[in-house]
Amino acid sequence: QYQGIYGYRRIYIYIRLKLNKRVNHKRVYRLMKQLKLKAIIRRKAKRYKLFTPEVTAQNILNRSFNESKKNKKWLTDVTEFKLKNGNKIYLSAIYDLGSKTILSYELSSSNNNQLVFNTLEKAVKQVKNTKGIIFHSDRGFQYTSRSFKTKLKKHKMIQSMSRVGCCIDNGPMESVWGM
């Protein structure tokens, strides 16, 4: 009747609530096993689109998170918040490893390049000399674009990126989102 979608737990609940019968879940499990009835496990569809990065950079930071001087190593990332009304909002921030502070942040209703560009420009305005700052990020589409690489070159910053699928490489920034 249910095309094999229901497992023993759902069948047990159905019998108890809809049919008003007293039955033990172990009995339902045992009977379904004898009849060779199993639930079909459905995989969730992946919601993200694969893309080929235009620009990648070496992991120069290489988990060297100890820094005593400010404006030597900056970390960045974008996180997503789901609002009660069902909409999403995106927060981009730049974190200075030396001073242990957020230098700049930007909120937007869309996750796009402009969000990251605005965050970078706000941070650059606070610092007199950006030459030689290691700018570390994950491999998000905003950070692997040619236009972002051009902006970093303009400010004489060194781009560093986490390895593919290794969120620990950007650990302190992920920790900021955790707080």
Side-chain angles (χ1 to χ4, degrees):
Q1 183 179 351
Y2 296 102
Q3 289 87 37
I5 293 172
Y6 279 16
Y8 81 93
R9 291 177 188 93
R10 279 180 130 180
I11 295 289
Y12 164 72
I13 291 167
Y14 179 83
I15 291 170
R16 296 277 310 237
L17 297 178
K18 299 284 184 189
L19 302 178
N20 292 321
K21 304 266 184 186
R22 289 185 51 82
V23 66
N24 190 306
H25 64 93
K26 293 177 205 168
R27 183 177 199 171
V28 173
Y29 176 78
R30 187 174 63 251
L31 290 171
M32 285 183 69
K33 197 172 180 182
Q34 286 173 359
L35 295 169
K36 295 184 176 139
L37 295 174
K38 285 185 180 178
I40 296 170
I41 310 236
R42 296 167 284 168
R43 293 197 181 268
K44 288 186 177 179
K46 293 185 178 177
R47 294 178 147 202
Y48 59 88
K49 296 176 189 170
L50 292 174
F51 73 98
T52 307
E54 294 176 350
V55 176
T56 56
Q58 292 292 321
N59 186 358
I60 296 166
L61 189 65
N62 200 22
R63 296 188 193 173
S64 175
F65 301 132
N66 295 328
E67 183 60 53
S68 56
K69 297 176 185 168
K70 66 183 200 174
N71 298 324
K72 293 291 180 191
K73 298 175 184 175
W74 288 0
L75 306 178
T76 188
D77 198 13
V78 177
T79 192
E80 170 188 286
F81 297 102
K82 291 179 183 166
L83 304 175
K84 287 183 181 180
N85 64 5
N87 293 338
K88 293 179 184 176
I89 194 161
Y90 299 92
L91 173 63
S92 171
I94 296 177
Y95 178 74
D96 181 25
L97 268 177
S99 65
K100 308 281 190 269
T101 58
I102 297 288
L103 293 173
S104 67
Y105 65 91
E106 190 77 22
L107 284 166
S108 176
S109 58
S110 59
N111 187 10
N112 55 21
N113 287 346
Q114 198 58 48
L115 171 67
V116 172
F117 295 165
N118 292 346
T119 311
L120 178 63
E121 291 306 319
K122 275 185 177 179
V124 167
K125 284 180 185 174
Q126 296 179 21
V127 180
K128 291 177 185 172
N129 184 15
T130 58
K131 185 179 179 184
I133 293 176
I134 296 173
F135 192 89
H136 187 80
S137 67
D138 58 13
R139 291 184 182 234
F141 71 92
Q142 305 96 328
Y143 307 113
T144 57
S145 68
R146 284 192 185 101
S147 50
F148 188 74
K149 178 76 173 177
T150 305
K151 286 194 177 291
L152 288 180
K153 275 187 178 179
K154 177 182 151 192
H155 297 297
K156 297 179 177 131
M157 299 171 91
I158 303 164
Q159 189 171 21
S160 171
M161 284 187 183
S162 299
R163 293 167 290 183
V164 176
C166 198
C167 60
I168 300 167
D169 286 349
N170 204 9
M173 191 66 215
E174 299 296 343
S175 178
V176 167
W177 298 142
M179 287 186 260

